[in-house]
Amino acid sequence: MSSTSTPAVTPVSASVSAARPGAAACAAPVASAGVLAGTPGHPAPAASDALAPGDTATPGPLDLRAIGIMLVLCLTWSLQQISLKAAAASASPMGLVAVRSLIAAALLALLMWRRGERPSRSRWRAGLGAGTLFALEFLLVSQALQLTQASHVVIFLYAAPIFAALGLQARIPAERLSPVQWGGILIAFGGIATAFLFNDGGGAQLAQHAGAARSAPAATVWLTTLAGGRAAILGDALALLASVCWGATTVTIRCSALSRAPASETLLYQLLCAAAILLPASHLLGEAHFDGSALAWSHLAFQTVVVSFASFLTWFWMLRRYLASPLGVLTFLTPLLGVLLGVWLLGERLQPTFLLGGALVLAGILMVSAPRYFSRS
């Protein structure tokens, strides 16, 4: 999924960093980002999308402007889960993601129409597969946010590059992992085990209070009851499953006709599928609450215009003008900022064992995504 204009980037790291910056931008970068966005969508720019029409510039090294823009982007992506969590009382996370995807898809379709871009009929099956995985990822994220802390969701969600690297290793011979990358995978899984095995369920009380509230979605009440006093661990597990979906999305894009599609086309498939799946799912699961308050509308505007649309247009603009590898490394600020903002804005309390596990996960992901920084020259 890496751009052909950045040969210095290793295949695995390039594929994930381009795939999703936020979270949601995911979508869905092994030098992390999505992403993805999740981040919202997490498509990787194909060779045809490496340069804008009429743009003959060769991507160059980062300058102060690029670093400044990346800091703003990482801050934006890190606020994605924080925003969904903070708005939960006024707007259910799943319903919010569904509506933002629908509106962002309309904005993107309008932009593509103005550019004269049309989705290829030969890629709709691959687009449906990637879009379904993307929708499942955010279905799991929305449930995880109801059960555990946003800072936990951010860390586990950003383990996606590990699963993407393993999937690409199995599917593409050229994506063989180096010893440094295998070491990073072991460290990351050790961090995940540490965060899970020594989790005392401190976030469960918060989830139980939410489940007892009148406005709590039926699915949240059921999951909280099912988990008993370990609701926070269940939420962490759902966030980790969402990470697997993000990784699978990256593999699907890389190993299908979407690898040759413009980034805008891949993102459109993901947004449309998210809206088509999450809108009915939010009603079936009691996650369609939206009280129409100023708080709810402000979070919807942020999620739609800023996260799902503007941030990803900016990300792809950056990929056309700057080398993807250092951009991917900078995206590691996103989960770090997400943890800090969760503590600051939401008053979340982090256990020492989670901090240790999270640090191991991020260190492992960095080793997988940027192995050259850990190898001898």
Side-chain angles (χ1 to χ4, degrees):
M1 294 168 60
S2 61
S3 167
T4 55
S5 58
T6 55
V9 182
T10 60
V12 173
S13 61
S15 65
V16 188
S17 62
R20 169 195 182 155
C26 26
V30 174
S32 167
V35 212
L36 53 255
T39 148
H42 7 126
S48 61
D49 210 37
L51 296 175
D55 187 355
T56 58
T58 300
L62 302 190
D63 52 25
L64 288 178
R65 180 180 69 166
I67 293 173
I69 293 174
M70 281 305 301
L71 289 175
V72 173
L73 286 178
C74 290
L75 179 62
T76 301
W77 296 327
S78 66
L79 284 169
Q80 182 181 184
Q81 276 74 40
I82 306 298
S83 169
L84 291 173
K85 182 81 171 179
S90 299
S92 299
M94 189 184 301
L96 201 60
V97 172
V99 174
R100 84 170 185 195
S101 299
L102 182 62
I103 299 174
L107 292 174
L108 181 60
L110 178 61
L111 179 64
M112 292 174 66
W113 175 75
R114 292 193 61 181
R115 289 178 173 177
E117 299 178 27
R118 289 187 177 182
S120 171
R121 293 182 179 180
S122 64
R123 291 192 281 259
W124 72 267
R125 289 185 179 85
L128 181 62
T132 300
L133 285 168
F134 176 75
L136 180 58
E137 172 193 340
F138 276 96
L139 188 151
L140 293 168
V141 165
S142 66
Q143 292 303 309
L145 286 169
Q146 304 276 4
L147 298 170
T148 191
Q149 301 184 91
S151 51
H152 284 218
V153 175
V154 170
I155 289 295
F156 287 120
L157 186 60
Y158 269 80
I162 301 299
F163 301 111
L166 290 172
L168 291 172
Q169 153 93 9
R171 295 290 302 276
I172 303 177
E175 298 284 8
R176 288 189 176 183
L177 299 173
S178 68
V180 170
Q181 291 173 310
W182 278 115
I185 289 175
L186 291 176
I187 290 174
F189 277 120
I192 292 171
T194 300
F196 269 96
L197 294 177
F198 299 100
N199 188 337
D200 64 6
Q205 290 183 345
L206 180 62
Q208 287 171 342
H209 286 309
R214 280 174 125 189
S215 60
T220 302
V221 176
W222 182 80
L223 287 172
T224 302
T225 304
L226 178 67
R230 311 298 286 177
I233 295 180
L234 177 59
D236 290 351
L238 292 176
L240 191 61
L241 285 175
S243 175
V244 174
C245 291
W246 175 0
T249 302
T250 300
V251 175
T252 299
I253 293 172
R254 181 68 188 276
C255 299
S256 70
L258 290 177
S259 64
R260 300 179 297 277
S264 54
E265 180 180 336
T266 305
L267 179 57
L268 182 63
Y269 285 130
Q270 292 177 309
L271 292 173
L272 289 175
C273 286
I277 293 173
L278 296 182
L279 278 173
S282 64
H283 285 276
L284 290 173
L285 298 175
E287 287 260 12
H289 172 66
F290 187 87
D291 65 10
S293 64
L295 176 67
W297 283 110
S298 63
H299 281 281
L300 177 60
F302 171 74
Q303 291 282 340
T304 302
V305 179
V306 179
V307 176
S308 295
F309 187 69
S311 77
F312 284 92
L313 291 180
T314 305
W315 169 249
F316 295 131
W317 179 86
M318 294 283 286
L319 285 171
R320 289 196 296 267
R321 286 158 177 79
Y322 299 100
L323 295 174
S325 183
L327 287 176
V329 173
L330 281 178
T331 60
F332 281 98
L333 290 172
T334 302
L336 294 176
L337 289 172
V339 171
L340 294 175
L341 291 172
V343 173
W344 179 36
L345 298 177
L346 301 178
E348 296 181 344
R349 295 183 178 180
L350 302 179
Q351 305 164 7
T353 50
F354 173 76
L355 290 174
L356 174 60
L360 291 174
V361 170
L362 293 179
I365 294 171
L366 186 59
M367 291 174 65
V368 172
S369 305
R372 65 177 183 171
Y373 294 106
F374 296 88
S375 302
R376 294 180 179 179
S377 301

